[in-house]
Each structure stands twice: as structure tokens, then as C-alpha cells.
Amino acid sequence: MSVNPGFGGQSFIPNQLRKIEAIRKMIDKSGRDIRLEVDGGIDFETAPRAIAAGADVLVAGTATFRGGPASYGDNIRRLRGG
């Protein structure tokens, strides 16, 4: 969780990147096939940062649904870096 729990649309808490990095190292050291999911504040700017820190799976509700149904496809492409 990279926001304070409670409601959607919150801003990503930047110091959570250090925690993502630390958890990624723990996962890698374990040798287990574990996917690291990050939920909260994921948008077009924070998605690449979370991935660079070690996230495998992102939850991006507000960023995905911004602009209504006509925008969903473009929003998802942008989140994927396209």
C-alpha cells in the first residue's frame, strides 16, 4: 500500500519506493516466485518509478478510469509505458 488507506485518488507516498526496493530484495533472496504488487497512487508518473523499484504488478484505479470509458484504453497504454 503506497497511500494512506481509506479512499481512491490519493497521491503516492514517495518514501514507499524504498520499501518496495527492500521487499524486492527480500523476495529475490528467498528464491521464491513471488509477484510484488503495489496499490495506491499509481499513475503515469509513479508507475515507472514503482516498476524500477521492483514492483511486478500495479493497481491503478483512478489513473485507469480518468476521462471516462473512451479514455480507458489510452490510459492503460500510458500506464504500460506506451
Side-chain angles (χ1 to χ4, degrees), residues 1-2 11 19 22 26 36 38 79:
M1 181 72 75
S2 49
S11 296
K19 291 183 180 181
M26 291 170 49
L36 177 54
V38 176
L79 284 164

mmCIF file of all heavy atoms in Angstrom, residues 1-2 11 19 22 26 36 38 79:
data_model
loop_
_atom_site.group_PDB
_atom_site.id
_atom_site.type_symbol
_atom_site.label_atom_id
_atom_site.label_comp_id
_atom_site.label_asym_id
_atom_site.label_seq_id
_atom_site.Cartn_x
_atom_site.Cartn_y
_atom_site.Cartn_z
ATOM 1 N N MET A 1 0.851 -1.166 0.000
ATOM 2 C CA MET A 1 0.000 0.000 0.000
ATOM 3 C C MET A 1 0.899 1.232 0.000
ATOM 4 O O MET A 1 1.738 1.375 0.876
ATOM 5 C CB MET A 1 -0.902 -0.029 1.231
ATOM 6 C CG MET A 1 -1.848 1.126 1.337
ATOM 7 S SD MET A 1 -3.205 1.134 0.172
ATOM 8 C CE MET A 1 -4.266 -0.107 0.834
ATOM 9 N N SER A 2 0.725 2.079 -0.971
ATOM 10 C CA SER A 2 1.594 3.252 -1.105
ATOM 11 C C SER A 2 0.841 4.566 -0.911
ATOM 12 O O SER A 2 1.280 5.611 -1.374
ATOM 13 C CB SER A 2 2.296 3.210 -2.459
ATOM 14 O OG SER A 2 1.365 2.961 -3.485
ATOM 15 N N SER A 11 -2.469 10.664 -3.476
ATOM 16 C CA SER A 11 -1.125 10.763 -4.042
ATOM 17 C C SER A 11 -0.223 9.674 -3.475
ATOM 18 O O SER A 11 -0.302 9.324 -2.299
ATOM 19 C CB SER A 11 -0.510 12.125 -3.723
ATOM 20 O OG SER A 11 -1.240 13.142 -4.342
ATOM 21 N N LYS A 19 10.720 1.115 0.471
ATOM 22 C CA LYS A 19 10.132 -0.121 0.996
ATOM 23 C C LYS A 19 9.936 -1.146 -0.115
ATOM 24 O O LYS A 19 10.162 -2.340 0.086
ATOM 25 C CB LYS A 19 8.819 0.167 1.701
ATOM 26 C CG LYS A 19 9.002 0.931 2.991
ATOM 27 C CD LYS A 19 7.694 1.143 3.709
ATOM 28 C CE LYS A 19 7.916 1.907 4.995
ATOM 29 N NZ LYS A 19 6.671 2.118 5.722
ATOM 30 N N ALA A 22 13.268 -2.663 -0.776
ATOM 31 C CA ALA A 22 13.657 -3.589 0.294
ATOM 32 C C ALA A 22 12.886 -4.905 0.190
ATOM 33 O O ALA A 22 13.471 -5.994 0.345
ATOM 34 C CB ALA A 22 13.427 -2.939 1.660
ATOM 35 N N MET A 26 14.214 -8.825 -0.530
ATOM 36 C CA MET A 26 13.838 -9.966 0.303
ATOM 37 C C MET A 26 13.252 -11.098 -0.548
ATOM 38 O O MET A 26 13.579 -12.265 -0.352
ATOM 39 C CB MET A 26 12.832 -9.534 1.367
ATOM 40 C CG MET A 26 13.414 -8.633 2.436
ATOM 41 S SD MET A 26 12.201 -7.866 3.535
ATOM 42 C CE MET A 26 11.182 -9.226 4.024
ATOM 43 N N LEU A 36 5.335 -8.934 -6.695
ATOM 44 C CA LEU A 36 5.212 -7.792 -5.787
ATOM 45 C C LEU A 36 4.223 -6.796 -6.383
ATOM 46 O O LEU A 36 4.482 -6.201 -7.428
ATOM 47 C CB LEU A 36 6.578 -7.144 -5.556
ATOM 48 C CG LEU A 36 6.618 -5.895 -4.683
ATOM 49 C CD1 LEU A 36 5.965 -6.144 -3.330
ATOM 50 C CD2 LEU A 36 8.058 -5.445 -4.514
ATOM 51 N N VAL A 38 1.841 -3.345 -6.099
ATOM 52 C CA VAL A 38 1.760 -2.042 -5.456
ATOM 53 C C VAL A 38 0.408 -1.431 -5.784
ATOM 54 O O VAL A 38 0.010 -1.362 -6.953
ATOM 55 C CB VAL A 38 2.910 -1.111 -5.917
ATOM 56 C CG1 VAL A 38 2.763 0.271 -5.313
ATOM 57 C CG2 VAL A 38 4.244 -1.715 -5.541
ATOM 58 N N LEU A 79 -0.073 3.819 -18.902
ATOM 59 C CA LEU A 79 0.443 3.198 -17.670
ATOM 60 C C LEU A 79 1.472 2.123 -17.986
ATOM 61 O O LEU A 79 2.426 1.923 -17.229
ATOM 62 C CB LEU A 79 -0.712 2.590 -16.870
ATOM 63 C CG LEU A 79 -1.583 3.598 -16.121
ATOM 64 C CD1 LEU A 79 -2.888 2.960 -15.690
ATOM 65 C CD2 LEU A 79 -0.834 4.184 -14.936
#
